[in-house]
Amino acid sequence: VRKKILDPRLTSHGEEQALALTYRFQHMDKVTHIVCSPMRRTIHTAYLAFYPAVFEKDIPIIAYPDVREWGNARCNTGIKFSSLLETFQDLEGRVETRLVPDGWEFNREVTNPYPEYKQTRALKVRKDLWELGQVVLKTKMGEKGVWNDIEVDGVEKKQDVHIVVITHGAFLATLEGLDGKFLYISPCLSLKERFTDIIDRGEILER
């Protein structure tokens, strides 16, 4: 049934899991950046699970369509992002939206050859996340670097970069290369200790 709902929100069980993750995620104090799919259920997760990072540390949520779920089913079709943010009014001014273009709601990549389009997007995301980490590492604390034409905050000298990526189950499997390994880009930059993703029934899956 959920697959027939346009851009569904988290289920009540998913909300409980997201709230629990706030206390169970042991690296909350280390988070430096949050990259999130613009789908309702992932924004909802960012809002609930990473509330301390967003509202206490003032870390913006970077809405990044390239980590959306595969496919063009109704559950993986978005709504206008401005309308979505009206649902989460507390997030006003806390979401970086400039990477979300008009028309992003409709996933048209399924018209491309399979599986090339999956490999292409997954490789692009890996490259983009690596570049984000590099920009942050080269930017001093209190200053702004530029990644994908948006400003991002730097970190203290010798501080590690910890990027939380909030995405979806099938896309995450492709991003990880279907081998269950963590995404480790270079000796100085681990983009995750674990991913958190949202599966179709609106519940959180931790890897």
Side-chain angles (χ1 to χ4, degrees):
V1 175
R2 282 184 61 83
K3 290 185 178 181
K4 297 180 180 180
I5 299 175
L6 179 65
D7 197 10
R9 58 178 293 145
L10 288 176
T11 63
S12 57
H13 183 53
E15 291 180 1
E16 292 173 0
Q17 289 179 302
L19 290 169
L21 185 61
T22 303
Y23 301 99
R24 289 173 28 226
F25 186 65
Q26 299 177 4
H27 310 287
M28 190 70 71
D29 61 327
K30 297 179 181 179
V31 174
T32 58
H33 298 77
I34 299 173
V35 174
C36 185
S37 160
M39 303 301 292
R40 188 195 309 267
R41 55 196 184 273
T42 38
I43 294 293
H44 198 180
T45 296
Y47 175 70
L48 294 177
F50 293 93
Y51 191 98
V54 174
F55 290 92
E56 296 173 14
K57 296 177 64 178
D58 291 324
I59 296 175
I61 299 169
I62 301 174
Y64 178 49
D66 282 341
V67 296
R68 69 182 302 162
E69 187 59 294
W70 300 119
N72 57 2
R74 281 182 62 81
C75 63
N76 296 327
T77 299
I79 61 175
K80 287 186 178 296
F81 207 59
S82 57
S83 299
L84 173 60
L85 291 179
E86 290 177 3
T87 307
F88 305 102
Q89 295 185 4
D90 289 350
L91 288 176
E92 183 177 356
R94 298 182 183 273
V95 180
E96 171 55 70
T97 64
R98 283 176 290 178
L99 298 181
V100 183
D102 291 339
W104 79 274
E105 308 96 291
F106 305 99
N107 187 357
R108 298 181 176 87
E109 67 188 350
V110 292
T111 60
N112 296 325
Y114 176 87
E116 286 80 2
Y117 73 86
K118 289 192 173 184
Q119 297 168 353
T120 298
R121 174 147 67 97
L123 287 171
K124 179 181 183 300
V125 168
R126 283 177 176 254
K127 180 175 180 290
D128 278 355
L129 293 175
W130 181 83
E131 290 178 348
L132 171 58
Q134 291 297 301
V135 168
V136 172
L137 286 172
K138 295 175 182 178
T139 304
K140 296 179 181 179
M141 183 73 173
E143 297 183 358
K144 299 285 187 180
V146 178
W147 172 72
N148 280 356
D149 296 324
I150 65 171
E151 291 186 338
V152 293
D153 292 319
V155 294
E156 295 180 359
K157 188 175 182 180
K158 296 183 179 181
Q159 179 184 352
D160 290 332
V161 179
H162 293 264
I163 303 171
V164 169
V165 178
I166 305 176
T167 182
H168 307 263
F171 176 75
L172 178 59
T174 306
L175 189 64
E176 290 183 319
L178 300 177
D179 56 10
K181 294 180 181 179
F182 289 147
L183 174 59
Y184 193 81
I185 301 298
S186 76
C188 66
L189 177 64
S190 175
L191 288 181
K192 80 178 185 65
E193 300 210 13
R194 68 181 170 191
F195 274 105
T196 298
D197 64 283
I198 310 304
I199 58 180
D200 285 340
R201 61 179 177 271
E203 298 174 2
I204 293 175
L205 173 66
E206 294 176 57
R207 297 178 180 232

